[in-house]
Amino acid sequence: MVDDPNYLDAGTRIDQKAEIQAWLTYAKTNRLTARCNRPIRAYSSATLNYDPSNDIGGQRMPDIDLGNLNLSINATPGFVLGSAGAWIDGTSIRPPNVLRSTLSWVGAPNTMVGGVVYMNIRYSTIYLSDARRFPVGHQYWSEGRGFERNTFIGGVMVDNRYGEVRCCVGAGSYINENVWLGGSCSNGSDSVAETAAAVMGTYSCVGTGGSPGSNNNRVYGRSYEGCDSTTHPNITECIPVWYEGCGGYDHYRDCRVEGWQGPILHVRGEVNGDANAIYGIHIDFDASVIGDIGAGNGKAICRQVAGAYGNRVTGPEHSCEREWHSGPLRDLLYSGGGTDAARTVAPFIMREGTSATDLRETTLSNRYQTNIYGVQINNGIIGTYIDTSRCKDFEFIADTLPGNDGRWTFAGYDANLILLSATHTDAYAIERNIKFGGATFTALYGGCYSTSGDGAGRVRVTVSDDCKWLFFGVGSGTAPAVLNGFGFKAYLAFEDAAGVTALSGPLIRDTLFGGLEGQRTATANPATAGTHGFWSPGQIAWDNTPTSGQPMAWLSNAGVALGVPFATSTAFAVKGQVVISDTGTKAYYVKTPGTTSGSGTGPNGTSTTTDYTDGTVVFRYIGAKAAFTALANVP
């Protein structure tokens, strides 16, 4: 093998394929380190293979040091390191630098088309080389064995359709727990041979018979430089990271993205009818994000389709995430003045039973009740609307009373608050507009979806670009729900036309019924027939139908709460429920649920530390029943 300065000149270069392959085969046969001690330029008209692997347990492989070898190769793949069904174990690898002598983007990424192909390597350190003008620059290939726990350092990938590809082929394949440090991936080519295509930086996929495993990998400090549609008119999209039917819990930290078209992260779960749940992919990029979002992508920085959910992109320049919490909801409901007329304050709404109609007030009896631990939901839903036009990925939590956890409900709406009721059967048999992670959801009513059992803990939700508003509520389940509060974290998924993340401003719709958030209104004295709410002295309920000669408002001037009246032989089954006893003057809460006795007027003591038992129910005193005085009349 000789140094050929004309290795790029098709007219004068020397084809050294036979010499190079013979040298590699000799090193393998004699278990010698394949090393190129001085810079060599050489041309090969065919694929080169080097396979030092074996199956001798615990025996270290020879090192591979070909960093000084610069190859021009007129074949795809270029240089194949390893073989199917065997491992390269615990070694140090410096592959050659490879350049395809004639640019070619022909070949699917789940076939072997890399400039350098790494097969079944584990526990090794690999110093990535330059790989240019191939369908795939560096290709990490698991076939029949695992590809795991390697450290990759550096690397330059230029003018490839796919900068690097991770691919699992055949049973028993997986690519797990590898680390990539640094490196640069520049996609796109100025060559006239460039075909109309979408190009990617890091692409993970499944080959024939492969498993969807590509998990717990880490990438640090990678630079993704794409191309713009003006200088590269044949490029339809340029996407830094793409997962196709495989992957989970991979993390990218401190990455740089420039000149990209389309989302930073595209994740697709279902491929060729195989349902794979792809989740937990997280890309964190630094402030050096330059470029425009291509048309037709819904301006989604994180695009998730067909079974993908819970993947996200964050970055400090883009105000990567926002949190919102309702705060304690014990004071949410109050009496609107009518009999059992429970009312709610903005931005929260009520729904009755299986109705999707949003209400500020319900007069149906026993739907909601006062409870010291939160709002008690006997048959209905309490919820709010979240603006999803700027964020598409959320994580929800709810604070409920144990044993009275209720069921979570979600529904997607368009920009005009029209319910998106179209359904689609995918991996989760759920609405096409909403993807869930962390709980099982079933169709409920009118396009809404609810947890199939009580309680959900923490749930990841991803919505489609069609979904501009997401309703999130908690309702009664097998037992009444007692909701003290709920909240969510919104992750970055959207940029405006100027490339600025629009995460500022409210994420909660607080003008659904008009009025001010937290303002209480009523049609009459709340205590006349009302049974709802905690009231503090000085709190006001404004007349929502002001009429000349009638009070403009009612002022709470005594007591603490309104609740249902005590009754004999009655089950009080929910802990914390507020009950009015002693001829309707005192408020108690249920400490121990049970059934009251068949006679008597109920508890009447005023000690807040004493248990008052009636039948099997144990009560505790709260304070006097709330009382009100009318303010001045409307002129």
Side-chain angles (χ1 to χ4, degrees):
M1 183 169 57
V2 298
D3 179 38
D4 181 6
N6 300 313
Y7 77 124
L8 299 178
D9 188 340
T12 59
R13 63 194 176 196
I14 304 169
D15 187 356
Q16 301 188 66
K17 63 178 182 181
E19 291 85 349
I20 299 172
Q21 189 60 65
W23 172 60
L24 294 171
T25 301
Y26 177 82
K28 168 187 169 53
T29 302
N30 293 277
R31 295 190 56 78
L32 301 173
T33 296
R35 176 177 290 116
C36 187
N37 292 320
R38 62 184 179 86
I40 292 289
R41 293 164 291 183
Y43 165 72
S44 173
S45 61
T47 300
L48 299 170
N49 297 274
Y50 180 52
D51 177 23
S53 58
N54 65 44
D55 283 325
I56 303 175
Q59 182 171 344
R60 188 179 186 277
M61 302 292 175
D63 289 340
I64 302 166
D65 187 0
L66 302 177
N68 283 323
L69 182 58
N70 302 284
L71 295 174
S72 170
I73 302 177
N74 193 30
T76 301
F79 189 91
V80 179
L81 183 62
S83 63
W87 270 306
I88 295 178
D89 254 327
T91 189
S92 175
I93 300 173
R94 294 181 183 270
N97 301 298
V98 294
L99 170 73
R100 204 180 192 286
S101 55
T102 302
L103 182 144
S104 174
W105 285 4
V106 177
N110 60 355
T111 61
M112 198 174 292
V113 290
V116 180
V117 180
Y118 308 85
M119 297 185 66
N120 298 346
I121 301 176
R122 62 179 183 175
Y123 315 137
S124 297
T125 302
I126 299 97
Y127 299 86
L128 295 177
S129 60
D130 289 8
R132 303 171 184 249
R133 294 158 55 95
F134 284 88
V136 175
H138 292 286
Q139 193 165 26
Y140 316 108
W141 192 271
S142 172
E143 183 170 348
R145 294 289 178 97
F147 192 108
E148 61 182 327
R149 301 180 188 181
N150 301 292
T151 299
F152 297 86
I153 301 173
V156 177
M157 296 146 275
V158 177
D159 290 347
N160 309 291
R161 181 178 179 186
Y162 302 86
E164 58 184 357
V165 167
R166 307 170 193 164
C167 185
C168 297
V169 178
S173 58
Y174 57 88
I175 299 177
N176 294 350
E177 299 178 13
N178 300 283
V179 175
W180 282 263
L181 303 175
S184 175
C185 180
S186 300
N187 290 80
S189 169
D190 295 323
S191 170
V192 294
E194 171 189 289
T195 57
V199 298
M200 292 85 177
T202 299
Y203 186 87
S204 297
C205 61
V206 178
T208 304
S211 67
S214 181
N215 304 314
N216 293 307
N217 297 292
R218 300 291 184 266
V219 179
Y220 299 97
R222 172 64 55 82
S223 175
Y224 292 99
E225 185 172 350
C227 53
D228 62 83
S229 57
T230 301
T231 57
H232 298 81
N234 292 324
I235 302 299
T236 58
E237 280 189 323
C238 186
I239 300 174
V241 182
W242 186 300
Y243 283 79
E244 187 80 0
C246 65
Y249 293 112
D250 285 0
H251 282 200
Y252 297 69
R253 299 290 188 187
D254 299 324
C255 294
R256 178 180 181 273
V257 177
E258 180 176 346
W260 48 286
Q261 301 179 65
I264 288 179
L265 171 64
H266 174 103
V267 188
R268 179 181 179 86
E270 183 176 332
V271 178
N272 298 326
D274 294 329
N276 300 311
I278 310 302
Y279 52 86
I281 310 299
H282 180 194
I283 298 180
D284 176 82
F285 52 85
D286 64 17
S288 302
V289 179
I290 307 170
D292 298 322
I293 301 174
N297 299 312
K299 295 186 177 180
I301 288 178
C302 179
R303 185 170 63 192
Q304 305 178 90
V305 296
Y309 62 86
N311 308 287
R312 67 185 189 270
V313 176
T314 60
E317 179 183 282
H318 294 258
S319 301
C320 58
E321 58 190 43
R322 287 270 304 280
E323 292 189 40
W324 176 89
H325 196 277
S326 65
L329 294 181
R330 192 182 82 159
D331 296 330
L332 174 63
L333 295 184
Y334 64 96
S335 174
T339 302
D340 208 2
R343 307 204 88 203
T344 181
V345 296
F348 302 96
I349 57 96
M350 296 182 290
R351 291 182 173 179
E352 297 174 341
T354 59
S355 171
T357 302
D358 297 327
L359 301 172
R360 183 74 180 272
E361 179 181 74
T362 177
T363 57
L364 296 181
S365 62
N366 200 36
R367 295 285 176 163
Y368 305 92
Q369 291 179 348
T370 308
N371 192 294
I372 65 168
Y373 297 114
V375 53
Q376 182 174 319
I377 309 168
N378 293 335
N379 188 1
I381 295 171
I382 294 291
T384 191
Y385 283 90
I386 300 158
D387 183 352
T388 61
S389 63
R390 297 164 291 169
C391 300
K392 301 297 180 183
D393 188 26
F394 301 85
E395 185 174 273
F396 289 90
I397 58 172
D399 179 12
T400 54
L401 182 67
N404 296 97
D405 301 289
R407 297 186 179 182
W408 295 21
T409 299
F410 294 90
Y413 293 79
D414 67 12
N416 298 313
L417 281 183
I418 304 300
L419 187 64
L420 296 169
S421 57
T423 57
H424 169 70
T425 301
D426 62 10
Y428 307 100
I430 60 173
E431 187 176 358
R432 68 179 180 86
N433 299 292
I434 307 173
K435 307 290 183 187
F436 299 107
T440 301
F441 284 76
T442 57
L444 188 60
Y445 56 84
C448 300
Y449 286 81
S450 174
T451 47
S452 57
D454 291 1
R458 188 179 297 267
V459 173
R460 294 295 299 267
V461 174
T462 299
V463 300
S464 70
D465 187 58
D466 297 332
C467 183
K468 305 303 183 184
W469 292 98
L470 177 67
F471 175 79
F472 169 48
V474 175
S476 52
T478 56
V482 178
L483 175 64
N484 182 52
F486 54 70
F488 64 86
K489 181 180 289 187
Y491 296 104
L492 172 69
F494 178 87
E495 284 193 351
D496 63 18
V500 178
T501 301
L503 269 179
S504 59
L507 291 175
I508 300 296
R509 185 180 178 93
D510 58 2
T511 59
L512 190 65
F513 298 103
L516 299 175
E517 183 173 340
Q519 178 176 281
R520 292 186 175 191
T521 61
T523 58
N525 185 326
T528 300
T531 60
H532 299 91
F534 288 89
W535 297 85
S536 301
Q539 199 164 17
I540 295 175
W542 296 95
D543 189 346
N544 63 347
T545 57
T547 304
S548 178
Q550 298 298 317
M552 68 174 62
W554 293 270
L555 173 70
S556 173
N557 63 348
V560 295
L562 298 176
V564 297
F566 173 84
T568 58
S569 302
T570 299
F572 291 95
V574 181
K575 183 178 180 180
Q577 181 180 352
V578 174
V579 178
I580 304 299
S581 183
D582 193 19
T583 65
T585 61
K586 298 183 179 68
Y588 299 82
Y589 75 89
V590 175
K591 180 182 177 183
T592 303
T595 302
T596 57
S597 63
S599 61
T601 59
N604 59 10
T606 57
S607 170
T608 58
T609 60
T610 300
D611 291 342
Y612 298 99
T613 301
D614 190 290
T616 59
V617 186
V618 178
F619 295 96
R620 276 287 179 95
Y621 179 68
I622 303 174
K625 176 185 176 182
F628 300 80
T629 185
L631 297 184
N633 290 343
V634 177

Coordinates of all heavy atoms in Angstrom, one line a residue, residues 42-88:
A42 N -5.3 6.7 -0.2 CA -5.5 5.5 -1.0 C -6.9 5.5 -1.6 O -7.9 6.0 -0.9 CB -5.2 4.2 -0.3
Y43 N -7.0 4.8 -2.7 CA -8.4 4.7 -3.4 C -8.7 3.2 -3.4 O -7.9 2.3 -3.7 CB -8.3 5.3 -4.8 CG -9.5 4.8 -5.6 CD1 -10.8 5.3 -5.4 CD2 -9.4 3.9 -6.6 CE1 -11.9 4.9 -6.1 CE2 -10.5 3.5 -7.4 CZ -11.7 4.0 -7.2 OH -12.8 3.6 -7.9
S44 N -10.0 2.9 -3.2 CA -10.5 1.5 -3.3 C -11.8 1.6 -4.1 O -12.7 2.4 -3.8 CB -10.8 0.9 -1.9 OG -11.4 -0.3 -2.0
S45 N -11.9 0.7 -5.0 CA -13.1 0.6 -5.8 C -14.2 -0.3 -5.2 O -15.3 -0.4 -5.8 CB -12.8 0.1 -7.2 OG -12.2 -1.2 -7.2
A46 N -13.9 -0.9 -4.1 CA -14.9 -1.8 -3.4 C -14.9 -1.6 -1.9 O -14.0 -1.0 -1.4 CB -14.5 -3.2 -3.8
T47 N -15.9 -2.1 -1.3 CA -16.0 -2.1 0.1 C -14.9 -2.8 0.8 O -14.5 -3.9 0.4 CB -17.4 -2.7 0.6 OG1 -18.4 -2.0 0.0 CG2 -17.5 -2.7 2.1
L48 N -14.4 -2.2 1.9 CA -13.3 -2.8 2.7 C -13.9 -3.3 4.0 O -14.7 -2.7 4.6 CB -12.2 -1.8 2.9 CG -11.5 -1.3 1.7 CD1 -10.6 -0.1 2.0 CD2 -10.7 -2.4 1.0
N49 N -13.4 -4.5 4.4 CA -13.9 -5.1 5.7 C -12.7 -5.4 6.6 O -11.7 -6.0 6.2 CB -14.6 -6.4 5.3 CG -15.8 -6.2 4.5 OD1 -16.9 -5.9 4.9 ND2 -15.6 -6.3 3.1
Y50 N -12.9 -5.2 7.9 CA -12.0 -5.6 8.9 C -12.7 -6.1 10.1 O -13.6 -5.4 10.7 CB -11.1 -4.4 9.3 CG -10.1 -4.8 10.4 CD1 -9.2 -5.8 10.2 CD2 -10.0 -4.0 11.6 CE1 -8.3 -6.2 11.2 CE2 -9.0 -4.4 12.5 CZ -8.2 -5.5 12.3 OH -7.3 -5.8 13.3
D51 N -12.5 -7.4 10.4 CA -13.3 -8.0 11.5 C -12.3 -8.7 12.5 O -11.9 -9.8 12.3 CB -14.2 -9.1 10.9 CG -14.9 -9.8 11.9 OD1 -15.1 -9.3 13.1 OD2 -15.4 -11.0 11.7
P52 N -12.0 -8.0 13.6 CA -11.1 -8.6 14.6 C -11.9 -9.3 15.7 O -11.3 -9.7 16.7 CB -10.4 -7.3 15.2 CG -11.5 -6.3 15.1 CD -12.3 -6.6 13.8
S53 N -13.2 -9.4 15.5 CA -14.1 -9.9 16.6 C -13.9 -11.4 16.8 O -13.4 -12.2 16.0 CB -15.5 -9.7 16.2 OG -15.9 -10.3 15.0
N54 N -14.2 -11.8 18.0 CA -14.2 -13.3 18.4 C -15.2 -13.5 19.5 O -15.8 -12.6 20.0 CB -12.8 -13.8 18.7 CG -12.3 -13.2 20.0 OD1 -12.9 -13.0 21.0 ND2 -11.0 -12.8 19.9
D55 N -15.4 -14.7 19.9 CA -16.3 -15.0 21.0 C -15.5 -15.6 22.2 O -16.1 -16.5 22.9 CB -17.4 -16.0 20.5 CG -18.4 -15.2 19.7 OD1 -18.7 -14.1 20.0 OD2 -18.9 -15.8 18.7
I56 N -14.3 -15.3 22.4 CA -13.5 -15.8 23.5 C -13.8 -14.9 24.7 O -13.4 -13.8 24.7 CB -12.0 -15.9 23.2 CG1 -11.8 -16.7 22.0 CG2 -11.3 -16.4 24.4 CD1 -10.3 -16.7 21.5
G57 N -14.5 -15.4 25.7 CA -15.0 -14.6 26.8 C -13.8 -14.0 27.5 O -12.8 -14.7 27.9
G58 N -13.8 -12.7 27.8 CA -12.8 -12.0 28.6 C -11.5 -11.7 27.9 O -10.7 -11.1 28.5
Q59 N -11.4 -12.1 26.7 CA -10.1 -11.8 26.0 C -10.2 -10.5 25.2 O -11.1 -10.2 24.4 CB -9.8 -12.9 24.9 CG -8.5 -12.7 24.2 CD -8.1 -13.9 23.4 OE1 -8.7 -15.0 23.6 NE2 -7.2 -13.8 22.5
R60 N -9.3 -9.6 25.5 CA -9.3 -8.3 24.9 C -9.0 -8.3 23.4 O -8.1 -9.1 23.0 CB -8.4 -7.4 25.6 CG -8.5 -5.9 25.2 CD -7.5 -5.1 26.0 NE -7.6 -3.6 25.8 CZ -7.1 -3.0 24.7 NH1 -6.4 -3.7 23.8 NH2 -7.3 -1.7 24.5
M61 N -9.7 -7.5 22.6 CA -9.4 -7.5 21.2 C -8.1 -6.6 20.9 O -7.8 -5.7 21.7 CB -10.6 -6.9 20.5 CG -11.9 -7.6 20.7 SD -11.8 -9.2 19.9 CE -13.4 -9.9 20.4
P62 N -7.5 -6.8 19.8 CA -6.4 -5.9 19.4 C -6.9 -4.5 19.1 O -8.1 -4.4 18.7 CB -5.9 -6.6 18.1 CG -6.4 -8.0 18.1 CD -7.7 -7.9 18.8
D63 N -6.1 -3.5 19.4 CA -6.5 -2.2 19.1 C -6.6 -2.0 17.6 O -6.0 -2.7 16.8 CB -5.5 -1.2 19.7 CG -5.6 -1.1 21.2 OD1 -6.6 -1.5 21.7 OD2 -4.6 -0.7 21.8
I64 N -7.3 -1.0 17.2 CA -7.4 -0.6 15.8 C -7.0 0.8 15.6 O -7.7 1.7 16.2 CB -8.8 -0.8 15.3 CG1 -9.2 -2.3 15.5 CG2 -9.0 -0.4 13.8 CD1 -10.7 -2.6 15.3
D65 N -6.0 1.2 14.9 CA -5.5 2.5 14.8 C -5.2 2.9 13.3 O -4.1 2.7 12.8 CB -4.2 2.7 15.6 CG -3.7 4.1 15.7 OD1 -4.4 5.0 15.1 OD2 -2.7 4.4 16.3
L66 N -6.3 3.3 12.7 CA -6.3 3.6 11.3 C -6.5 5.1 11.0 O -7.0 5.5 9.9 CB -7.3 2.8 10.5 CG -7.1 1.3 10.6 CD1 -8.2 0.5 9.9 CD2 -5.8 0.8 10.1
G67 N -6.3 5.9 12.0 CA -6.6 7.3 11.9 C -5.8 8.1 10.8 O -6.2 9.1 10.3
N68 N -4.6 7.5 10.5 CA -3.8 8.2 9.4 C -4.2 7.7 8.0 O -3.6 8.2 7.1 CB -2.3 7.9 9.7 CG -1.8 8.7 10.8 OD1 -2.1 9.9 10.9 ND2 -0.9 8.2 11.6
L69 N -5.1 6.8 7.9 CA -5.5 6.2 6.6 C -6.7 7.1 6.1 O -7.7 7.1 6.7 CB -5.9 4.8 6.8 CG -6.3 4.0 5.5 CD1 -5.2 4.1 4.4 CD2 -6.7 2.6 5.8
N70 N -6.5 7.7 4.9 CA -7.5 8.5 4.2 C -7.9 7.8 3.0 O -7.1 7.7 2.0 CB -6.9 9.9 3.9 CG -6.4 10.6 5.2 OD1 -7.2 11.1 5.9 ND2 -5.1 10.6 5.3
L71 N -9.2 7.3 2.9 CA -9.6 6.5 1.9 C -10.6 7.2 1.0 O -11.6 7.9 1.5 CB -10.3 5.2 2.4 CG -9.4 4.3 3.2 CD1 -10.2 3.1 3.8 CD2 -8.3 3.7 2.2
S72 N -10.5 7.1 -0.3 CA -11.5 7.4 -1.3 C -12.1 6.1 -1.8 O -11.3 5.3 -2.3 CB -10.9 8.2 -2.4 OG -11.8 8.4 -3.5
I73 N -13.4 5.9 -1.6 CA -14.0 4.7 -1.9 C -15.2 4.9 -2.8 O -16.0 5.7 -2.6 CB -14.5 4.0 -0.6 CG1 -13.3 3.8 0.4 CG2 -15.2 2.6 -0.9 CD1 -13.7 3.1 1.7
N74 N -15.2 4.1 -3.9 CA -16.3 4.2 -4.8 C -17.3 3.0 -4.6 O -17.5 2.2 -5.6 CB -15.8 4.2 -6.3 CG -16.9 4.6 -7.3 OD1 -17.7 5.4 -6.9 ND2 -16.8 4.1 -8.5
A75 N -17.8 2.9 -3.4 CA -18.7 1.8 -3.1 C -19.4 2.1 -1.8 O -19.0 3.0 -1.0 CB -17.9 0.5 -2.9
T76 N -20.6 1.5 -1.7 CA -21.4 1.6 -0.5 C -21.8 0.3 0.0 O -22.3 -0.5 -0.8 CB -22.7 2.4 -0.8 OG1 -22.4 3.7 -1.3 CG2 -23.6 2.6 0.4
P77 N -21.5 -0.1 1.3 CA -20.8 0.8 2.3 C -19.4 1.0 2.0 O -18.8 0.3 1.1 CB -21.0 0.0 3.6 CG -21.1 -1.5 3.1 CD -21.8 -1.4 1.8
G78 N -18.7 1.8 2.8 CA -17.3 2.1 2.5 C -16.4 1.2 3.3 O -15.8 0.3 2.7
F79 N -16.3 1.3 4.6 CA -15.4 0.5 5.5 C -16.3 -0.1 6.5 O -16.9 0.6 7.3 CB -14.4 1.4 6.1 CG -13.3 0.7 6.8 CD1 -12.1 0.3 6.2 CD2 -13.4 0.4 8.2 CE1 -11.1 -0.4 6.8 CE2 -12.4 -0.3 8.8 CZ -11.3 -0.7 8.2
V80 N -16.3 -1.5 6.6 CA -17.1 -2.2 7.5 C -16.2 -2.8 8.6 O -15.3 -3.6 8.3 CB -17.9 -3.3 6.8 CG1 -18.8 -4.1 7.9 CG2 -18.8 -2.7 5.8
L81 N -16.5 -2.5 9.8 CA -15.7 -2.9 11.0 C -16.6 -3.9 11.8 O -17.6 -3.5 12.4 CB -15.3 -1.7 11.8 CG -14.4 -1.9 13.0 CD1 -13.1 -2.5 12.6 CD2 -14.2 -0.6 13.8
G82 N -16.2 -5.2 11.8 CA -16.9 -6.2 12.6 C -17.7 -7.1 11.7 O -17.7 -7.0 10.5
S83 N -18.5 -7.9 12.3 CA -19.3 -8.9 11.6 C -20.6 -9.3 12.4 O -20.7 -9.0 13.6 CB -18.5 -10.2 11.3 OG -18.2 -10.8 12.5
A84 N -21.6 -9.9 11.7 CA -22.8 -10.3 12.4 C -22.5 -11.5 13.3 O -21.7 -12.3 13.0 CB -23.9 -10.6 11.3
G85 N -23.2 -11.5 14.4 CA -23.2 -12.6 15.3 C -22.0 -12.7 16.2 O -21.8 -13.7 16.9
A86 N -21.1 -11.7 16.2 CA -19.9 -11.8 17.0 C -19.6 -10.4 17.5 O -20.0 -9.4 16.9 CB -18.7 -12.3 16.2
W87 N -18.9 -10.3 18.6 CA -18.6 -9.0 19.2 C -17.2 -8.5 19.0 O -16.2 -9.3 18.9 CB -18.8 -9.1 20.8 CG -20.2 -8.7 21.2 CD1 -20.9 -7.6 21.0 CD2 -21.0 -9.6 22.1 NE1 -22.1 -7.7 21.6 CE2 -22.2 -8.9 22.3 CE3 -20.8 -10.8 22.7 CZ2 -23.2 -9.4 23.1 CZ3 -21.8 -11.3 23.5 CH2 -23.0 -10.6 23.7
I88 N -17.0 -7.2 18.9 CA -15.7 -6.6 19.1 C -15.7 -6.1 20.5 O -16.6 -5.2 20.9 CB -15.5 -5.4 18.1 CG1 -15.4 -6.0 16.7 CG2 -14.2 -4.7 18.5 CD1 -15.2 -4.9 15.7

